[in-house]
Amino acid sequence: MNHLPLIIKREYLTKVKNKSFIVMTVLSPLIMIVLISVVAYLSQLNNDTVRTITVLDESGFANGVFENTDKTKYNVLENMSLSDAKVLAKESGSVGLLHIDRVENIHTISNHIKFYSEESPSLSLISDLESKLEKKLTNIKLLENGVDLQMINDSKIRVNIAQESFAGEKTSKIDSIMKLAFGGAAGYLLFMFIIIYGNMIMRSVIEEKTSRIIEVIISSVKPMQLMLGKIIGTSLAGITQFVIWLVIGGILLSVVSLIFGINIQTPQQEMVEQAMANPELSMQVQDFINAFFHLPLTNLITAFILFFIGGYLLYSSLYAAIGAAVDNETDTQQFMLPIIMPLILAVYIGFFTVIEDPHGTVSTVFSFIPFTSPVVMLMRIPFGVPIWQQLVSLFILIATFMFTVWFAAKIYRVGILMYGKKPTYKELIKWIKY
Protein backbone atom coordinates (compact mmCIF):
# COMPACT_ATOMS: atom_id res chain seq x y z
CA MET A 1 0.00 0.00 0.00
CA ASN A 2 1.28 3.46 -0.87
CA HIS A 3 1.61 5.43 2.36
CA LEU A 4 3.54 8.32 0.76
CA PRO A 5 0.65 10.88 0.81
CA LEU A 6 -0.02 10.08 4.48
CA ILE A 7 3.65 10.50 5.36
CA ILE A 8 3.85 13.79 3.48
CA LYS A 9 0.75 15.07 5.27
CA ARG A 10 2.03 13.95 8.67
CA GLU A 11 5.47 15.47 8.11
CA TYR A 12 4.00 18.73 6.86
CA LEU A 13 1.52 19.10 9.73
CA THR A 14 4.15 18.13 12.29
CA LYS A 15 6.45 20.87 11.02
CA VAL A 16 3.90 23.69 10.67
CA LYS A 17 2.31 22.95 14.06
CA ASN A 18 5.66 22.91 15.84
CA LYS A 19 5.98 25.84 18.29
CA SER A 20 9.52 26.71 17.22
CA PHE A 21 8.44 26.69 13.56
CA ILE A 22 5.53 29.04 14.30
CA VAL A 23 7.68 31.35 16.43
CA MET A 24 10.45 31.59 13.83
CA THR A 25 7.93 32.05 11.02
CA VAL A 26 6.49 35.06 12.83
CA LEU A 27 9.67 36.45 14.42
CA SER A 28 12.02 36.14 11.42
CA PRO A 29 10.26 38.73 9.22
CA LEU A 30 9.70 40.92 12.28
CA ILE A 31 13.41 40.88 13.10
CA MET A 32 14.31 41.57 9.47
CA ILE A 33 11.88 44.48 9.26
CA VAL A 34 13.25 45.93 12.50
CA LEU A 35 16.80 45.70 11.12
CA ILE A 36 15.78 47.23 7.79
CA SER A 37 13.90 50.01 9.60
CA VAL A 38 16.86 50.76 11.85
CA VAL A 39 19.22 50.89 8.85
CA ALA A 40 16.76 53.11 6.93
CA TYR A 41 16.33 55.41 9.94
CA LEU A 42 20.08 55.70 10.50
CA SER A 43 20.59 56.29 6.77
CA GLN A 44 18.07 59.14 6.86
CA LEU A 45 19.87 60.65 9.85
CA ASN A 46 23.15 60.33 8.00
CA ASN A 47 21.65 61.85 4.83
CA ASP A 48 20.29 64.82 6.81
CA THR A 49 23.67 65.50 8.41
CA VAL A 50 25.58 68.38 6.86
CA ARG A 51 29.33 68.04 7.36
CA THR A 52 31.64 71.04 7.41
CA ILE A 53 35.23 70.88 6.18
CA THR A 54 37.65 73.68 7.00
CA VAL A 55 40.13 74.52 4.23
CA LEU A 56 43.35 76.49 4.59
CA ASP A 57 44.94 77.00 1.15
CA GLU A 58 48.24 78.84 1.45
CA SER A 59 49.32 77.93 -2.07
CA GLY A 60 46.49 79.64 -3.94
CA PHE A 61 46.32 76.81 -6.45
CA ALA A 62 43.02 75.43 -5.13
CA ASN A 63 40.93 78.58 -5.55
CA GLY A 64 37.40 77.78 -6.66
CA VAL A 65 37.77 74.04 -6.10
CA PHE A 66 35.57 73.67 -3.05
CA GLU A 67 31.94 74.57 -3.66
CA ASN A 68 29.21 73.98 -1.08
CA THR A 69 26.63 71.23 -1.65
CA ASP A 70 23.53 70.09 0.23
CA LYS A 71 25.59 67.61 2.24
CA THR A 72 28.96 69.31 2.51
CA LYS A 73 29.93 72.85 3.48
CA TYR A 74 33.44 74.21 3.02
CA ASN A 75 34.78 76.87 5.38
CA VAL A 76 37.67 78.40 3.42
CA LEU A 77 40.11 80.34 5.64
CA GLU A 78 42.45 83.10 4.56
CA ASN A 79 45.41 84.86 6.17
CA MET A 80 45.60 82.49 9.13
CA SER A 81 48.36 80.35 10.60
CA LEU A 82 48.09 76.57 10.64
CA SER A 83 47.91 76.39 14.45
CA ASP A 84 45.07 78.91 14.58
CA ALA A 85 43.26 77.08 11.79
CA LYS A 86 43.49 73.81 13.72
CA VAL A 87 41.99 75.42 16.82
CA LEU A 88 39.21 77.05 14.80
CA ALA A 89 38.36 73.82 12.97
CA LYS A 90 38.22 71.88 16.23
CA GLU A 91 36.08 74.45 18.05
CA SER A 92 33.67 74.89 15.14
CA GLY A 93 32.92 71.18 15.00
CA SER A 94 34.36 70.65 11.52
CA VAL A 95 35.01 67.17 10.24
CA GLY A 96 38.61 68.19 9.76
CA LEU A 97 41.05 70.71 8.37
CA LEU A 98 42.44 70.40 4.85
CA HIS A 99 45.76 72.24 4.72
CA ILE A 100 47.55 73.02 1.46
CA ASP A 101 51.00 74.37 2.27
CA ARG A 102 52.62 77.27 0.49
CA VAL A 103 54.71 76.06 -2.47
CA GLU A 104 56.39 77.87 -5.32
CA ASN A 105 56.11 75.06 -7.85
CA ILE A 106 52.93 73.09 -8.59
CA HIS A 107 55.06 70.01 -9.32
CA THR A 108 55.74 69.53 -5.58
CA ILE A 109 52.32 70.42 -4.20
CA SER A 110 51.18 66.80 -3.88
CA ASN A 111 53.64 66.31 -1.00
CA HIS A 112 52.39 69.37 0.90
CA ILE A 113 48.71 68.55 1.39
CA LYS A 114 47.46 67.21 4.74
CA PHE A 115 44.13 66.54 6.38
CA TYR A 116 43.91 67.07 10.15
CA SER A 117 41.00 65.58 12.09
CA GLU A 118 40.01 64.41 15.56
CA GLU A 119 39.10 60.95 14.24
CA SER A 120 40.06 59.01 11.14
CA PRO A 121 38.10 60.40 8.17
CA SER A 122 36.04 58.15 5.92
CA LEU A 123 37.59 56.78 2.75
CA SER A 124 34.90 58.41 0.59
CA LEU A 125 35.66 61.84 2.11
CA ILE A 126 39.39 61.66 1.37
CA SER A 127 38.76 60.23 -2.10
CA ASP A 128 36.37 63.07 -2.91
CA LEU A 129 38.87 65.71 -1.78
CA GLU A 130 41.67 64.06 -3.75
CA SER A 131 39.50 63.90 -6.86
CA LYS A 132 38.65 67.61 -6.67
CA LEU A 133 42.27 68.63 -6.15
CA GLU A 134 43.63 66.33 -8.85
CA LYS A 135 41.24 67.71 -11.45
CA LYS A 136 42.04 71.33 -10.59
CA LEU A 137 45.81 70.89 -10.34
CA THR A 138 45.95 68.85 -13.55
CA ASN A 139 44.14 71.62 -15.43
CA ILE A 140 46.55 74.22 -14.05
CA LYS A 141 49.52 72.16 -15.15
CA LEU A 142 48.06 71.65 -18.62
CA LEU A 143 47.54 75.39 -18.99
CA GLU A 144 51.16 76.03 -17.93
CA ASN A 145 52.27 73.64 -20.65
CA GLY A 146 50.27 75.58 -23.21
CA VAL A 147 47.49 73.04 -23.62
CA ASP A 148 44.03 74.32 -24.58
CA LEU A 149 41.59 72.73 -22.11
CA GLN A 150 38.58 73.55 -24.24
CA MET A 151 40.16 71.79 -27.16
CA ILE A 152 40.72 68.70 -24.99
CA ASN A 153 37.12 68.70 -23.81
CA ASP A 154 35.84 69.16 -27.34
CA SER A 155 38.06 66.30 -28.51
CA LYS A 156 36.66 63.76 -26.08
CA ILE A 157 34.54 61.11 -27.77
CA ARG A 158 32.28 58.80 -25.83
CA VAL A 159 32.14 55.26 -27.23
CA ASN A 160 29.13 53.02 -26.62
CA ILE A 161 29.61 49.79 -28.55
CA ALA A 162 26.32 48.43 -29.86
CA GLN A 163 25.95 44.67 -29.49
CA GLU A 164 24.12 42.42 -31.89
CA SER A 165 24.13 38.69 -32.52
CA PHE A 166 24.75 37.20 -35.95
CA ALA A 167 21.02 36.44 -36.05
CA GLY A 168 20.26 40.15 -35.75
CA GLU A 169 19.23 40.21 -32.05
CA LYS A 170 20.34 43.45 -30.40
CA THR A 171 21.79 43.41 -26.90
CA SER A 172 23.68 45.81 -24.61
CA LYS A 173 25.80 45.96 -21.47
CA ILE A 174 22.62 46.47 -19.46
CA ASP A 175 21.28 43.18 -20.85
CA SER A 176 24.37 41.46 -19.48
CA ILE A 177 23.84 43.08 -16.09
CA MET A 178 20.23 41.87 -15.98
CA LYS A 179 21.27 38.35 -16.95
CA LEU A 180 23.97 38.36 -14.32
CA ALA A 181 21.55 39.60 -11.65
CA PHE A 182 18.92 36.96 -12.45
CA GLY A 183 21.40 34.10 -12.64
CA GLY A 184 23.19 35.11 -9.45
CA ALA A 185 19.93 35.50 -7.52
CA ALA A 186 18.61 32.13 -8.72
CA GLY A 187 21.80 30.26 -7.88
CA TYR A 188 22.19 31.88 -4.46
CA LEU A 189 18.52 31.26 -3.57
CA LEU A 190 18.87 27.56 -4.37
CA PHE A 191 22.09 27.37 -2.35
CA MET A 192 20.47 28.94 0.74
CA PHE A 193 17.30 26.84 0.41
CA ILE A 194 19.31 23.62 0.31
CA ILE A 195 21.39 24.60 3.33
CA ILE A 196 18.45 25.73 5.49
CA TYR A 197 15.83 23.09 4.72
CA GLY A 198 18.27 20.26 4.06
CA ASN A 199 19.48 20.64 7.64
CA MET A 200 15.84 20.69 8.78
CA ILE A 201 15.24 17.31 7.11
CA MET A 202 18.38 15.89 8.69
CA ARG A 203 17.43 17.08 12.18
CA SER A 204 13.90 15.70 11.73
CA VAL A 205 15.26 12.23 10.97
CA ILE A 206 17.65 12.37 13.94
CA GLU A 207 14.85 13.42 16.32
CA GLU A 208 12.57 10.57 15.28
CA LYS A 209 15.42 8.10 15.41
CA THR A 210 16.52 9.08 18.92
CA SER A 211 12.92 9.08 20.20
CA ARG A 212 12.42 5.53 18.84
CA ILE A 213 9.23 6.60 17.02
CA ILE A 214 10.88 5.45 13.82
CA GLU A 215 10.78 1.82 15.00
CA VAL A 216 6.98 1.91 15.06
CA ILE A 217 6.67 3.72 11.73
CA ILE A 218 9.11 1.52 9.84
CA SER A 219 7.08 -1.60 10.67
CA SER A 220 4.37 -0.55 8.21
CA VAL A 221 6.15 1.83 5.82
CA LYS A 222 8.90 1.18 3.32
CA PRO A 223 12.13 3.12 4.04
CA MET A 224 12.10 4.83 0.63
CA GLN A 225 8.51 6.03 1.10
CA LEU A 226 9.36 7.29 4.56
CA MET A 227 12.42 9.16 3.31
CA LEU A 228 10.61 10.70 0.32
CA GLY A 229 7.69 11.65 2.57
CA LYS A 230 10.02 13.48 4.92
CA ILE A 231 11.76 15.28 2.07
CA ILE A 232 8.55 16.40 0.32
CA GLY A 233 6.69 17.23 3.55
CA THR A 234 9.55 19.32 4.91
CA SER A 235 9.95 21.03 1.52
CA LEU A 236 6.27 22.02 1.48
CA ALA A 237 6.63 23.34 5.04
CA GLY A 238 9.62 25.38 3.91
CA ILE A 239 7.70 26.82 0.96
CA THR A 240 4.81 27.67 3.29
CA GLN A 241 7.20 29.42 5.67
CA PHE A 242 8.79 31.36 2.80
CA VAL A 243 5.40 32.55 1.49
CA ILE A 244 4.33 33.62 4.99
CA TRP A 245 7.59 35.57 5.35
CA LEU A 246 6.87 37.44 2.11
CA VAL A 247 3.30 38.31 3.16
CA ILE A 248 4.17 39.34 6.73
CA GLY A 249 7.26 41.20 5.55
CA GLY A 250 5.29 43.23 3.03
CA ILE A 251 2.60 44.12 5.59
CA LEU A 252 5.14 45.07 8.26
CA LEU A 253 7.11 47.23 5.82
CA SER A 254 3.99 49.24 5.02
CA VAL A 255 2.98 49.53 8.70
CA VAL A 256 6.44 50.64 9.85
CA SER A 257 6.70 53.15 7.02
CA LEU A 258 3.30 54.69 7.88
CA ILE A 259 3.53 54.72 11.69
CA PHE A 260 7.14 55.77 12.21
CA GLY A 261 7.51 57.86 9.07
CA ILE A 262 10.56 55.89 7.94
CA ASN A 263 10.78 56.12 4.18
CA ILE A 264 12.32 52.78 3.28
CA GLN A 265 11.99 53.49 -0.44
CA THR A 266 13.94 56.77 -0.32
CA PRO A 267 16.87 55.55 -2.50
CA GLN A 268 14.49 54.27 -5.17
CA GLN A 269 12.47 57.50 -5.12
CA GLU A 270 15.66 59.55 -5.47
CA MET A 271 16.69 57.45 -8.46
CA VAL A 272 13.30 57.98 -10.09
CA GLU A 273 13.45 61.74 -9.46
CA GLN A 274 16.98 61.91 -10.87
CA ALA A 275 15.87 59.92 -13.90
CA MET A 276 12.99 62.32 -14.54
CA ALA A 277 15.30 65.33 -14.28
CA ASN A 278 18.18 63.82 -16.25
CA PRO A 279 17.35 62.70 -19.79
CA GLU A 280 20.48 60.54 -20.00
CA LEU A 281 19.63 58.72 -16.75
CA SER A 282 16.04 58.38 -17.92
CA MET A 283 17.27 56.59 -21.03
CA GLN A 284 19.34 54.23 -18.86
CA VAL A 285 16.26 53.39 -16.76
CA GLN A 286 14.32 52.72 -19.95
CA ASP A 287 17.18 50.50 -21.14
CA PHE A 288 16.95 48.49 -17.91
CA ILE A 289 13.22 48.01 -18.44
CA ASN A 290 13.75 46.94 -22.04
CA ALA A 291 16.56 44.60 -20.97
CA PHE A 292 14.25 42.92 -18.47
CA PHE A 293 11.61 42.22 -21.10
CA HIS A 294 14.28 41.04 -23.53
CA LEU A 295 15.10 38.20 -21.16
CA PRO A 296 13.70 34.77 -22.11
CA LEU A 297 11.35 34.92 -19.12
CA THR A 298 9.38 31.77 -19.97
CA ASN A 299 12.54 29.72 -20.33
CA LEU A 300 14.07 31.25 -17.21
CA ILE A 301 11.04 30.63 -14.98
CA THR A 302 10.51 27.07 -16.25
CA ALA A 303 14.18 26.16 -15.90
CA PHE A 304 14.35 27.77 -12.47
CA ILE A 305 11.44 25.67 -11.18
CA LEU A 306 12.74 22.40 -12.65
CA PHE A 307 16.39 22.80 -11.65
CA PHE A 308 15.41 24.21 -8.26
CA ILE A 309 13.24 21.18 -7.49
CA GLY A 310 15.74 18.69 -8.92
CA GLY A 311 18.73 20.17 -7.09
CA TYR A 312 16.88 20.46 -3.81
CA LEU A 313 15.57 16.87 -3.92
CA LEU A 314 19.03 15.57 -4.81
CA TYR A 315 20.72 17.16 -1.82
CA SER A 316 17.76 16.55 0.51
CA SER A 317 18.06 12.79 -0.02
CA LEU A 318 21.71 13.00 1.06
CA TYR A 319 20.79 15.04 4.15
CA ALA A 320 18.13 12.44 5.04
CA ALA A 321 20.64 9.59 4.64
CA ILE A 322 23.11 11.35 6.93
CA GLY A 323 20.38 11.92 9.52
CA ALA A 324 19.54 8.22 9.49
CA ALA A 325 23.18 7.19 9.80
CA VAL A 326 24.00 9.12 13.02
CA ASP A 327 22.57 9.33 16.52
CA ASN A 328 23.08 13.06 17.14
CA GLU A 329 23.79 16.23 15.21
CA THR A 330 27.40 16.37 16.40
CA ASP A 331 28.23 13.18 14.48
CA THR A 332 27.00 14.68 11.21
CA GLN A 333 30.05 16.94 10.82
CA GLN A 334 32.22 14.20 9.30
CA PHE A 335 29.67 13.64 6.52
CA MET A 336 28.74 17.26 5.79
CA LEU A 337 31.90 18.29 3.94
CA PRO A 338 31.30 16.04 0.86
CA ILE A 339 27.82 17.59 0.55
CA ILE A 340 28.76 21.22 1.15
CA MET A 341 31.86 21.24 -1.08
CA PRO A 342 30.03 20.70 -4.42
CA LEU A 343 27.58 23.48 -3.49
CA ILE A 344 30.40 25.89 -2.62
CA LEU A 345 32.24 24.88 -5.80
CA ALA A 346 29.09 25.52 -7.85
CA VAL A 347 28.63 29.00 -6.37
CA TYR A 348 32.32 29.80 -6.88
CA ILE A 349 32.24 28.67 -10.52
CA GLY A 350 28.99 30.55 -11.07
CA PHE A 351 30.24 33.89 -9.80
CA PHE A 352 33.82 33.73 -11.05
CA THR A 353 33.63 31.67 -14.24
CA VAL A 354 30.11 31.82 -15.67
CA ILE A 355 30.05 35.61 -15.36
CA GLU A 356 33.28 35.95 -17.34
CA ASP A 357 32.69 33.18 -19.88
CA PRO A 358 29.20 31.61 -19.68
CA HIS A 359 29.81 29.37 -22.71
CA GLY A 360 33.38 28.35 -21.86
CA THR A 361 34.53 24.79 -21.26
CA VAL A 362 34.53 25.04 -17.46
CA SER A 363 31.07 26.60 -17.28
CA THR A 364 29.62 24.11 -19.75
CA VAL A 365 31.11 21.02 -18.10
CA PHE A 366 30.00 21.96 -14.60
CA SER A 367 26.51 22.76 -15.85
CA PHE A 368 26.16 19.05 -16.70
CA ILE A 369 27.62 17.62 -13.48
CA PRO A 370 24.49 16.93 -11.38
CA PHE A 371 25.90 18.14 -8.05
CA THR A 372 26.80 21.54 -9.53
CA SER A 373 24.41 21.84 -12.49
CA PRO A 374 21.40 23.28 -10.55
CA VAL A 375 23.42 26.37 -9.60
CA VAL A 376 25.73 26.68 -12.62
CA MET A 377 23.04 26.00 -15.24
CA LEU A 378 20.65 28.50 -13.62
CA MET A 379 23.39 31.12 -13.89
CA ARG A 380 24.19 30.19 -17.52
CA ILE A 381 20.64 30.11 -18.90
CA PRO A 382 20.12 33.93 -18.94
CA PHE A 383 23.13 34.21 -21.29
CA GLY A 384 21.51 31.87 -23.80
CA VAL A 385 21.91 28.11 -23.44
CA PRO A 386 20.55 25.80 -26.16
CA ILE A 387 17.42 23.91 -25.12
CA TRP A 388 19.07 20.55 -25.79
CA GLN A 389 21.81 21.34 -23.27
CA GLN A 390 19.20 22.29 -20.66
CA LEU A 391 17.25 19.08 -21.29
CA VAL A 392 20.37 16.88 -21.13
CA SER A 393 21.49 18.55 -17.91
CA LEU A 394 18.01 18.14 -16.41
CA PHE A 395 17.85 14.48 -17.47
CA ILE A 396 21.24 13.78 -15.86
CA LEU A 397 20.09 15.60 -12.71
CA ILE A 398 16.87 13.58 -12.46
CA ALA A 399 18.68 10.29 -13.14
CA THR A 400 21.25 11.13 -10.47
CA PHE A 401 18.48 12.01 -8.04
CA MET A 402 16.80 8.64 -8.61
CA PHE A 403 20.11 6.84 -8.10
CA THR A 404 20.86 8.92 -5.00
CA VAL A 405 17.44 8.14 -3.55
CA TRP A 406 18.07 4.44 -4.16
CA PHE A 407 21.39 4.23 -2.30
CA ALA A 408 20.33 6.83 0.29
CA ALA A 409 17.28 4.66 1.04
CA LYS A 410 19.60 1.68 1.60
CA ILE A 411 21.57 3.73 4.14
CA TYR A 412 18.30 4.98 5.58
CA ARG A 413 16.88 1.45 5.90
CA VAL A 414 19.81 0.21 8.01
CA GLY A 415 20.80 3.47 9.69
CA ILE A 416 17.45 4.35 11.27
CA LEU A 417 17.62 1.20 13.40
CA MET A 418 21.29 1.55 14.39
CA TYR A 419 22.03 3.04 17.83
CA GLY A 420 25.07 3.66 19.96
CA LYS A 421 27.65 3.34 17.19
CA LYS A 422 29.35 6.09 15.23
CA PRO A 423 29.20 5.14 11.56
CA THR A 424 32.19 5.45 9.26
CA TYR A 425 32.38 5.65 5.48
CA LYS A 426 33.34 1.98 5.48
CA GLU A 427 30.16 1.16 7.41
CA LEU A 428 28.04 3.18 5.00
CA ILE A 429 29.42 1.26 2.06
CA LYS A 430 28.49 -2.01 3.80
CA TRP A 431 24.95 -0.73 4.37
CA ILE A 432 24.63 0.14 0.68
CA LYS A 433 25.81 -3.36 -0.34
CA TYR A 434 23.49 -5.02 2.19
Side-chain angles (χ1 to χ4, degrees), residues 129-147:
L129 293 174
E130 289 176 344
S131 177
K132 292 178 182 295
L133 289 171
E134 285 176 359
K135 184 177 180 180
K136 176 67 175 182
L137 298 175
T138 300
N139 288 340
I140 293 176
K141 193 171 182 180
L142 288 173
L143 289 173
E144 287 184 354
N145 292 333
V147 178

Side-chain angles (χ1 to χ4, degrees), residues 18-36:
N18 186 279
K19 290 183 179 179
S20 61
F21 183 89
I22 296 173
V23 170
M24 289 308 299
T25 302
V26 175
L27 284 183
S28 294
L30 182 60
I31 294 172
M32 287 300 299
I33 296 304
V34 169
L35 291 176
I36 293 173

Side-chain angles (χ1 to χ4, degrees), residues 56-320:
L56 178 60
D57 179 21
E58 296 184 289
S59 68
F61 288 113
N63 289 334
V65 173
F66 305 104
E67 298 181 357
N68 295 335
T69 64
D70 295 336
K71 306 298 181 183
T72 306
K73 304 295 181 184
Y74 295 96
N75 182 20
V76 181
L77 305 178
E78 296 179 357
N79 302 323
M80 184 177 292
S81 64
L82 177 59
S83 58
D84 291 339
K86 288 181 180 179
V87 173
L88 180 61
K90 189 174 182 180
E91 292 178 350
S92 63
S94 296
V95 176
L97 169 66
L98 177 66
H99 176 237
I100 305 175
D101 202 359
R102 182 180 289 105
V103 293
E104 296 180 357
N105 193 330
I106 194 174
H107 298 280
T108 60
I109 195 172
S110 60
N111 298 323
H112 294 80
I113 303 176
K114 290 184 179 180
F115 188 85
Y116 300 91
S117 61
E118 191 73 28
E119 300 175 351
S120 297
S122 65
L123 180 62
S124 60
L125 172 63
I126 298 300
S127 299
D128 183 58
L129 293 174
E130 289 176 344
S131 177
K132 292 178 182 295
L133 289 171
E134 285 176 359
K135 184 177 180 180
K136 176 67 175 182
L137 298 175
T138 300
N139 288 340
I140 293 176
K141 193 171 182 180
L142 288 173
L143 289 173
E144 287 184 354
N145 292 333
V147 178
D148 189 346
L149 296 180
Q150 187 61 40
M151 183 179 294
I152 292 178
N153 293 330
D154 294 340
S155 301
K156 290 181 179 179
I157 298 177
R158 183 179 178 182
V159 177
N160 186 15
I161 300 177
Q163 302 176 45
E164 185 174 333
S165 67
F166 288 112
E169 182 181 355
K170 295 182 179 180
T171 60
S172 65
K173 292 183 290 185
I174 297 178
D175 290 324
S176 299
I177 294 173
M178 291 295 297
K179 294 173 182 178
L180 174 61
F182 186 93
Y188 184 75
L189 181 61
L190 175 59
F191 174 80
M192 293 304 299
F193 204 86
I194 290 173
I195 295 295
I196 294 173
Y197 294 103
N199 276 282
M200 184 182 291
I201 292 172
M202 183 178 67
R203 286 193 297 268
S204 174
V205 175
I206 295 174
E207 288 172 4
E208 290 191 353
K209 180 179 177 181
T210 54
S211 65
R212 302 298 179 94
I213 297 176
I214 203 75
E215 295 179 359
V216 178
I217 299 175
I218 201 65
S219 62
S220 58
V221 179
K222 293 182 180 179
M224 182 173 288
Q225 289 184 0
L226 182 58
M227 186 180 71
L228 286 176
K230 281 190 168 296
I231 293 173
I232 298 173
T234 303
S235 304
L236 293 176
I239 295 172
T240 302
Q241 188 178 54
F242 189 73
V243 172
I244 293 174
W245 282 348
L246 292 178
V247 174
I248 295 178
I251 294 173
L252 289 177
L253 275 176
S254 302
V255 171
V256 169
S257 180
L258 290 174
I259 295 178
F260 297 100
I262 300 174
N263 194 354
I264 300 174
Q265 297 181 343
T266 298
Q268 290 85 346
Q269 291 178 349
E270 289 181 355
M271 289 180 61
V272 173
E273 292 175 359
Q274 292 176 2
M276 295 297 293
N278 189 340
E280 184 176 348
L281 187 58
S282 179
M283 290 182 60
Q284 292 181 357
V285 172
Q286 186 63 41
D287 289 340
F288 268 105
I289 296 174
N290 293 335
F292 176 78
F293 287 105
H294 283 164
L295 291 173
L297 296 177
T298 303
N299 183 203
L300 291 176
I301 295 172
T302 304
F304 174 77
I305 294 173
L306 295 176
F307 278 97
F308 190 94
I309 294 174
Y312 175 73
L313 292 178
L314 173 63
Y315 279 95
S316 295
S317 61
L318 296 176
Y319 274 102

Side-chain angles (χ1 to χ4, degrees), residues 25-61:
T25 302
V26 175
L27 284 183
S28 294
L30 182 60
I31 294 172
M32 287 300 299
I33 296 304
V34 169
L35 291 176
I36 293 173
S37 300
V38 170
V39 172
Y41 177 72
L42 294 177
S43 299
Q44 285 185 358
L45 288 180
N46 188 52
N47 289 334
D48 295 338
T49 302
V50 179
R51 61 186 181 186
T52 302
I53 300 174
T54 304
V55 180
L56 178 60
D57 179 21
E58 296 184 289
S59 68
F61 288 113

